[in-house]
Amino acid sequence: MSAHGRDAADVVVIGGGIVGLATAWQIQQRRPGITVAVLEKETGVATHQTGHNSGVIHSGIYYEPGSLKATLCKRGADDTKAFAREHGIPCDTTGKLLVATDDAEHQRMLALFERAQVNGLDVRILDAAQLRQAEPHIRGCGAIEVPTTGIIDYRRVSQVLAELVVAAGGVVETGVEVTGIHESAEQVRIDTAEKTWTAAHLVVCAGLQADRLATMAGLDPEVQIIPFRGEYFTLPPSRNGLVAHLIYPIPDPELPFLGVHLSPTIHGTLTVGPNAVLGFARERYGKGAVTPADVAQYLRFPGMWKLARANVRTGARELSNSLFKRGYLAQCRKYCPELTLSDLVPMEAGIRAQAVRRDGTLVHDFLLKTTARSIHVLNAPSPAATSALPIGETLAAQLYP
């Protein structure tokens, strides 16, 4: 440490979400005694995507075989459960059912089952009778059972990671917004309003601000983060025992979103969601929230218009379901017909950071951009929380082979 508003560390990590904290901790595991500083602009850790997701420990069933998502998610599920056991974090392996409700979904279900087998997952097919036996309140013509899927509170995981980083001699500074990044041959300088940091290496895990931090560092990120609101409902306490498994629809392979699902949480509640509606603010969660600078940025981005043109029907349906609760309910009633409008009690939304290329295509896999002294995580949507520990291990190994 040095005076006059300057600090030094071997590694600075920007972003106090689960990926940033896991990366800081894994660097310390790989190189004990190394100095690591995590800088987070909010007043606490896990404030944005980490603290606004479904709390699901994903199995890796959906992802392209050989992709980072497929390999890191499968490892991450095991690592997350082991981490929870070691540190006394509540965690439950509920299992998941992916339910097909018509012939088209049944065909997609069979294709997904094959992918799961290629990815080396423990899965089995249930017919309609077996599905009803497993979950009496759920209807469908079949389902894939994924017994390894679980639930956890990722905000709690992040808090424990922050404590471990500090216990190992690192610092986690909150309320610190980065204003400049300057990389030279010798070091990286990170400017904040309060002071300047210098580091041998920088890792940027900025989530909803990932593209802006890359641009600040003088890079062309080649993508832009488009915010998608995921709106959730919680069911009344009388419904808490409705299902034992996580209940998911069969996803549309053209979209990166998994559809509206019924999720028991580690806190004993039952939630429904999320949908996927274009957001008008990256980091404001109220319905109707607008941040003009966020909207202006993506309206100037050609990839946004190409994405919109290619997904007019899907976008219109999601917007309609957001505006009219009856449409949202219909998505749930496909597999749980006894749900009613009065069962859907609004709760705080989440916002997903989705990287979009200039040609309008969505980045489906995790995306990294590296320089001589920096790694920028440009796309880390779901299942990044599940995969955080192996993502951190991978980044630590890149910095210190």
Side-chain angles (χ1 to χ4, degrees), residues 29 104 123 144 231:
Q29 298 301 294
V123 291
I144 301 174
E231 294 164 336

Side-chain angles (χ1 to χ4, degrees), residues 144-168:
I144 301 174
E145 183 183 27
V146 190
T148 56
T149 302
I151 52 176
I152 200 167
D153 182 344
Y154 286 115
R155 197 181 288 256
R156 179 71 191 125
V157 176
S158 301
Q159 289 164 345
V160 170
L161 283 166
E163 291 163 8
L164 291 171
V165 168
V166 172

